[in-house]
Amino acid sequence: MVKEYRTIYKDGVGEIVEKKSRFICHIFHVESPQEAETLLEQMRKTYWDASHNCYAYCIGTRQELMRCSDDGEPAQTAGRPMLDVLAGQKLCNVLAVVTRYFGGTLLGTGGLVRAYSGAVTEGLAQSVVVEKKLADMLQIVTDYTGLGKIQYILGQEGLQPMDSEYGEDVKVTVPVPVDLTERIRAAVTEGTNGRAKMQVLKQLYYGKIEGKTICFP
């Protein structure tokens, strides 16, 4: 698994107008070409009266699969510029669909490239992007005297516990980026004089949205 990648957490819709032509961009999180095709068909049905429904998508945590379509616009003026925006922002598992309603004025090759890339940029601005990091879900068991030190160590690294259980001991469960796990283990061991016990429960991805830690299966 890759250690980190950027993707869409919340879909969005953006719109720009160029010389009376409307460019409506829908941004979706997708996990497969089949899912992308299903959404594309829905967009074509919804905007059946549009001049064009162009698209671009990047699928895979390493952007292994990239496809795009000009849908009747001059070659390389729609799909490719859209794909360039997605790839340039290093987004994975994302689909962009730009619907154009022709306004009566030709935009020319350069104008079309700017319009379609601009529409995707606006669509992304209305979406929520998350950077997912591969993490060890670390469980730390400590006595109450060590809790403050553990909280300080996690806070210094910007790590937010997902769960804390208070009983005879305290169990703190926190996602730790895989590259930080050994450093956190060493710091906790030193900070609690070896009294804390630690184990990795599983590996998963996590990200931060508006300062809140969210784990992904």
Side-chain angles (χ1 to χ4, degrees):
M1 294 189 289
V2 297
K3 291 183 179 179
E4 59 183 63
Y5 67 97
R6 285 164 51 84
T7 189
I8 301 300
Y9 176 71
K10 183 178 180 181
D11 299 344
V13 183
E15 180 177 340
I16 65 171
V17 178
E18 291 289 340
K19 295 182 179 179
K20 297 183 180 180
S21 279
R22 294 175 63 202
F23 295 84
I24 307 165
C25 179
H26 286 76
I27 300 291
F28 301 100
H29 176 86
V30 292
E31 295 281 349
S32 68
Q34 293 76 17
E35 188 178 356
E37 291 297 333
T38 297
L39 287 167
L40 278 168
E41 189 59 31
Q42 291 176 6
M43 290 293 97
R44 291 177 182 128
K45 289 180 179 178
T46 299
Y47 297 99
W48 60 270
D49 58 339
S51 307
H52 306 276
N53 285 290
C54 306
Y55 72 85
Y57 62 72
C58 301
I59 293 175
T61 55
R62 293 183 175 88
Q63 295 181 325
E64 295 94 335
L65 180 59
M66 295 185 180
R67 288 183 180 167
C68 61
S69 170
D70 296 312
D71 192 36
E73 293 280 30
Q76 305 294 307
T77 62
R80 187 71 218 187
M82 294 168 61
L83 188 60
D84 286 344
V85 174
L86 300 181
Q89 294 202 25
K90 298 180 180 179
L91 288 166
C92 304
N93 293 335
V94 57
L95 165 68
V97 183
V98 175
T99 300
R100 181 189 183 186
Y101 283 93
F102 183 56
T105 301
L106 297 175
L107 300 183
T109 300
L112 287 171
V113 169
R114 287 190 295 272
Y116 278 99
S117 59
V120 174
T121 299
E122 179 61 23
L124 290 172
Q126 302 305 317
S127 309
V128 177
V129 174
V130 62
E131 185 170 342
K132 292 185 177 182
K133 295 184 178 181
L134 183 63
D136 291 319
M137 186 61 84
L138 185 65
Q139 184 184 77
I140 307 171
V141 182
T142 181
D143 55 31
Y144 283 84
T145 59
L147 180 59
K149 185 63 177 180
I150 290 170
Q151 290 173 332
Y152 173 78
I153 291 169
L154 297 179
Q156 286 292 100
E157 297 290 350
L159 301 176
Q160 186 179 82
M162 299 302 298
D163 186 41
S164 298
E165 296 180 24
Y166 298 90
E168 189 172 323
D169 291 315
V170 182
K171 291 182 180 179
V172 178
T173 305
V174 57
V176 179
V178 290
D179 288 341
L180 280 182
T181 300
E182 291 309 312
R183 190 164 86 194
I184 293 297
R185 281 182 180 274
V188 169
T189 298
E190 180 181 354
T192 62
N193 295 317
R195 295 192 304 274
K197 298 178 181 179
M198 290 165 279
Q199 65 171 323
V200 174
L201 301 179
K202 59 183 176 180
Q203 280 194 340
L204 45 63
Y205 285 100
Y206 85 100
K208 288 191 175 182
I209 304 294
E210 297 180 348
K212 182 179 179 180
T213 297
I214 298 174
C215 291
F216 302 92

